[in-house]
Amino acid sequence: MRERNLWMILAIASLALFAIPWTISMFAGQHTFYDVCEMNSKCSKCHADVWSQLNGSQTVIAHKNAANNNNYTTYMSVGGIEYGGSVMHTMDYADGVHDSGDIAYLWDSNSGKWEKAVWEDASFNPTGELKLVSLDIDSSGSISTDELCNFCHDTRLFGLSGTHTQRTVRVCDDDRCHGNRNHNYNDPDFFDAGSKATIVGSDLSEYAHAAFYLSGCNEPSPHAAGLPFGHAAGNVNGSDISKGYWACLGCHSDAGVAITFEAAETYGHDADEETPTRYR
């Protein structure tokens, strides 16, 4: 009996020797977990389908060029509303007047970065705090599709903070992207003529697509708007981002749309009881 129990113990121990390495490997060896709170996270590890759609899109090339403009990404991260080459005005200047405590960012040629400055005594006083936001994580000189995800979803470029599940959605008619009927802070001075950067949103309100755009602006999307830089964005409906950007996706993406056409009511000429008359 003892011998039988001994063999059973040996058999169980042998199985454990095979099972334990697989268990450890499953969590430590086979998978690489990226810190999703950092900008170097590999979004394609979980969103390969989205990555493939973006990577094959012609429209995404323009967004990669914009994302590779460190001045522009810095401007987005500080809530810029006006760019003057050597100064970035922030939301504090929305009223067109500099008040005590207003913040701007001044170009510091020595460091090659933007320096935070506070308006006091009729001038901006540098604070020594330097900032330059780059999405080129691997320093390749260009933006990969993985790096581009941060351009629209990283909360730090939206004046917010949070974990992966709290990341934001920056849509086409965002205040600092293509603008909307309320705010248009995408300063064209960031882009040269060769970039063919365009401003939409306000323009959409004036052309053939106005009906689609304005209708969408009056409906909430599933995405919460938040208060970027402590202010309500111009493309919101209630507490959510509006559906105005859907008008952009209709022409500039491969987004599928399900449409149901309902046949109009028809009128036949088979009522025998009616008195025949001439058409007028």
Side-chain angles (χ1 to χ4, degrees):
M1 188 68 174
R2 290 182 178 179
E3 184 176 350
R4 181 179 178 183
N5 290 339
L6 179 62
W7 279 110
M8 290 182 65
I9 293 172
L10 289 174
I12 294 173
S14 299
L15 288 173
L17 289 175
F18 286 99
I20 289 175
W22 281 102
T23 304
I24 295 174
S25 177
M26 181 174 65
F27 291 101
Q30 293 178 333
H31 299 283
T32 301
F33 292 93
Y34 292 88
D35 184 352
V36 294
C37 295
E38 296 298 326
M39 287 172 59
N40 63 351
S41 59
K42 295 285 187 179
C43 305
S44 59
K45 292 288 289 186
C46 296
H47 302 287
D49 55 334
V50 178
W51 183 94
S52 62
Q53 292 174 8
L54 283 175
N55 202 50
S57 169
Q58 290 298 316
T59 306
V60 82
I61 296 174
H63 291 86
K64 286 184 177 181
N65 292 336
N68 202 32
N69 185 331
N70 293 343
N71 291 332
Y72 182 42
T73 50
T74 302
Y75 176 83
M76 295 169 74
S77 73
V78 301
I81 65 169
E82 184 179 316
Y83 173 69
S86 60
V87 59
M88 292 179 183
H89 293 288
T90 66
M91 287 295 299
D92 299 321
Y93 190 56
D95 58 0
V97 178
H98 283 308
D99 302 308
S100 178
D102 282 1
I103 296 174
Y105 285 79
L106 310 178
W107 178 250
D108 179 51
S109 56
N110 293 326
S111 64
K113 297 182 178 180
W114 293 90
E115 184 175 11
K116 184 178 180 179
V118 180
W119 183 265
E120 296 291 350
D121 299 325
S123 64
F124 278 115
N125 298 310
T127 64
E129 181 180 332
L130 301 174
K131 190 180 189 71
L132 188 70
V133 177
S134 173
L135 300 184
D136 182 17
I137 308 302
D138 60 8
S139 301
S140 65
S142 61
I143 300 297
S144 69
T145 303
D146 268 312
E147 292 168 336
L148 183 64
C149 296
N150 294 297
F151 194 48
C152 296
H153 296 289
D154 196 289
T155 52
R156 286 172 291 181
L157 269 68
F158 206 56
L160 302 172
S161 61
T163 62
H164 172 266
T165 56
Q166 296 170 317
R167 288 200 170 194
T168 190
V169 176
R170 186 186 297 275
V171 296
C172 311
D173 63 340
D174 178 77
D175 293 4
R176 292 165 187 82
C177 292
H178 297 288
N180 47 67
R181 61 180 177 178
N182 296 311
H183 299 158
N184 197 333
Y185 300 139
N186 185 352
D187 199 314
D189 291 337
F190 277 112
F191 310 100
D192 56 30
S195 70
K196 299 181 180 179
T198 57
I199 307 298
V200 297
S202 295
D203 292 344
L204 281 176
S205 303
E206 302 171 6
Y207 295 104
H209 299 88
F212 299 104
Y213 178 68
L214 295 176
S215 176
C217 289
N218 295 325
E219 299 180 50
S221 76
H223 308 301
L227 288 174
F229 312 106
H231 300 267
N235 62 333
V236 300
N237 182 277
S239 60
D240 301 310
I241 296 171
S242 78
K243 291 181 181 178
Y245 71 97
W246 285 19
C248 304
L249 297 180
C251 293
H252 296 282
S253 78
D254 296 329
V257 179
I259 301 176
T260 300
F261 291 98
E262 295 184 1
E265 184 179 354
T266 59
Y267 297 90
H269 296 274
D270 54 355
D272 297 336
E273 68 278 5
E274 294 293 333
T275 303
T277 59
R278 297 177 63 87
Y279 288 103
R280 295 174 183 238

